[in-house]
Amino acid sequence: MHKILFMSTPVGALSSGIGGGVELTLYNLIQEMQRRGYDITTVAPKSSFFNNAKIIEIEGNLHIPAQTQSRDISTMMPKNSVLANMWEYARKVQSEYHLIVNFAFDWLPFYLTPFFSTPIAQFISMGSLCDSLDDIMDQTAQKYPDNFGVYTKSQANTFPFSDICKILGSGLDLSLYEFNEQCEQKLAWLGRIAPEKALEDAVKACDITQVPLLIFGKVQDEKYWQDILTKYPHAPIDYRGFLSTEDLQRELRLCQGLLMTPRWIEAFGNVAIEALACGVPVIAYDRGGPGEIVEDGKTGFLVTPDSVEELVNAIKKLPKINRLDCRLVVEKEYSVEVWGDRFEQWFQTLMIKPSI
Ligand code: HBI
């Protein structure tokens, strides 16, 4: 039985929503690899929880989300760092595992990699954000060129080691998402409510069109959220909170379309395939992962980044999209089976072969 150790992000407990897309990626990958007969253990900050998963909860102080810092920031370690404690645990138990997989977008795991005897696969969950992190990632990639996996080519292209990255895409357990042919006259926005996700553009577009906007996700930056409410007091918005996948898709599938307004190079944009899985077309800024996922005119519309005017024009064209095409594309490209094959092949090339 192959035993693999997943090392989570240090910014928040799993299922808190603070970890954003990497939480969904971790959950789906654990389920899919367990289904394929792998023994998966996940190391994560205390209070982490996932259904049907073995979680080792580690004490310690959370790390600052990298996207809130400037590019030239020096690497900082909080007192009693949960990340340092997670990797101290990994060091102790490493000989029990055939592979370790790092999901943290932080300096320490990359620096520690050569000190470990068990191979470490590096899954990079965002585009380049910080010079010191780019530097240690590049140094590690030069030593272990087969060990770097990313979501998309546009994400890989933000790093100096883009040519050695394995492009793995993403996947969903489609049985959790119900296709809906009919829809109501309302739009959705889904994600961490923080400046890099530019929710304000979606709210402005709905203020102009007066099409109701359902907002799903965790408020990560309270001041940013309050500023939006103050600036657009008459926008038809309805904040639905951070919902479970089951509750989210029940409301999302009734929407006419999803607006994706990333200000940064979104590494993938799991929310895009969650919407498409429900038959909901996606209107997205043509940058990063969404630019590779949305097929313009077929599963939604790609618009000039940061153009609210083009968002408004695309909203009017949504009825032209055949909602079944959205579901069919996800079944073909983004099922956990297709995605799981890519991850399993990558892991197989890296892991210690278990002794017979
Ligand atoms: N910031 N420092 C740090 N470490 C992470 O692992 C991290 C992060 N910010 C965001 C984040 N992970 C996830 O939300 C994304 O990887 C999706």
Side-chain angles (χ1 to χ4, degrees):
M1 164 80 84
H2 292 86
K3 287 174 61 84
I4 306 179
L5 191 66
F6 283 2
M7 302 298 289
S8 184
T9 171
V11 296
L14 290 173
S15 294
S16 71
I18 301 170
V22 81
E23 286 189 32
L24 191 63
T25 294
L26 259 170
Y27 177 76
N28 287 331
L29 193 59
I30 292 166
Q31 302 309 319
E32 183 57 19
M33 295 311 283
Q34 287 178 162
R35 196 176 66 81
R36 292 168 184 246
Y38 291 81
D39 179 346
I40 305 294
T41 303
T42 301
V43 179
K46 70 183 179 305
S47 317
S48 287
F49 173 78
F50 271 161
N51 279 328
N52 186 34
K54 236 187 303 181
I55 307 265
I56 306 288
E57 295 180 58
I58 302 291
E59 297 286 334
N61 293 316
L62 299 176
H63 276 229
I64 299 167
Q67 72 276 15
T68 63
Q69 308 299 300
S70 60
R71 276 209 69 86
D72 59 0
I73 195 96
S74 297
T75 293
M76 286 178 287
M77 291 296 287
K79 177 168 66 74
N80 187 26
S81 153
V82 67
L83 185 64
N85 297 343
M86 286 163 62
W87 281 85
E88 170 56 11
Y89 174 84
R91 183 187 64 78
K92 285 182 187 150
V93 300
Q94 62 175 309
S95 60
E96 298 168 27
Y97 294 91
H98 302 105
L99 181 68
I100 297 172
V101 188
N102 171 42
F103 290 86
F105 197 86
D106 293 83
W107 187 89
L108 183 67
F110 296 99
Y111 179 72
L112 289 177
T113 295
F115 295 95
F116 273 67
S117 50
T118 300
I120 300 176
Q122 313 286 357
F123 183 75
I124 314 298
S125 63
M126 292 188 283
S128 166
L129 283 174
C130 160
D131 297 336
S132 71
L133 205 41
D134 280 8
D135 179 44
I136 193 66
M137 282 181 179
D138 194 27
Q139 285 180 48
T140 312
Q142 300 314 316
K143 293 189 189 86
Y144 304 93
D146 299 326
N147 295 43
F148 279 67
V150 294
Y151 286 115
T152 60
K153 188 63 187 145
S154 43
Q155 175 199 0
N157 290 341
T158 66
F159 294 109
F161 50 88
S162 59
D163 56 322
I164 57 98
C165 290
K166 303 274 172 301
I167 312 299
L168 298 165
S170 185
L172 289 179
D173 176 352
L174 293 173
S175 67
L176 301 178
Y177 299 82
E178 194 176 312
F179 171 67
N180 216 62
E181 182 71 56
Q182 304 311 317
C183 67
E184 297 168 13
Q185 178 81 2
K186 53 188 172 180
L187 296 167
W189 188 93
L190 174 48
R192 285 180 294 109
I193 297 175
E196 68 271 12
K197 302 281 187 178
L199 168 59
E200 76 269 18
D201 288 10
V203 172
K204 185 174 178 183
C206 291
D207 194 38
I208 293 166
T209 60
Q210 283 300 299
V211 175
L213 177 68
L214 300 186
I215 298 168
F216 302 92
K218 188 169 187 64
V219 176
Q220 186 156 42
D221 185 322
E222 186 60 39
K223 182 185 175 313
Y224 173 69
W225 174 230
Q226 291 306 325
D227 288 350
I228 292 174
L229 297 178
T230 308
K231 192 171 177 183
Y232 300 101
H234 307 300
I237 62 175
D238 178 0
Y239 176 55
R240 308 297 300 149
F242 175 64
L243 304 181
S244 67
T245 297
E246 186 185 358
D247 295 340
L248 164 73
Q249 64 86 32
R250 193 176 298 117
E251 298 193 35
L252 178 58
R253 68 179 186 232
L254 300 175
C255 294
Q256 194 186 22
L258 175 79
L259 300 184
M260 282 194 79
T261 54
R263 198 69 85 215
W264 66 344
I265 300 271
E266 189 77 41
F268 184 76
N270 278 313
V271 301
I273 57 176
E274 291 190 281
L276 294 174
C278 298
V280 178
V282 177
I283 297 172
Y285 288 155
D286 190 4
R287 67 162 57 117
E292 296 183 36
I293 298 166
V294 177
E295 294 174 49
D296 190 49
K298 181 180 177 190
T299 57
F301 300 100
L302 292 173
V303 303
T304 306
D306 311 323
S307 167
V308 173
E309 184 188 350
E310 286 196 28
L311 286 181
V312 169
N313 294 338
I315 290 169
K316 294 168 188 160
K317 295 193 295 184
L318 278 170
K320 290 182 181 164
I321 300 294
N322 173 351
R323 290 168 68 92
L324 182 58
D325 283 344
C326 299
R327 173 73 189 197
L328 294 177
V329 161
V330 175
E331 287 177 1
K332 181 168 171 286
E333 305 274 335
Y334 300 108
S335 68
V336 276
E337 292 75 19
V338 170
W339 176 60
D341 285 347
R342 287 195 288 265
F343 257 95
E344 185 173 23
Q345 282 155 22
W346 181 41
F347 288 166
Q348 287 286 356
T349 63
L350 298 177
M351 69 171 62
I352 297 169
K353 300 295 173 264
S355 49
I356 310 293

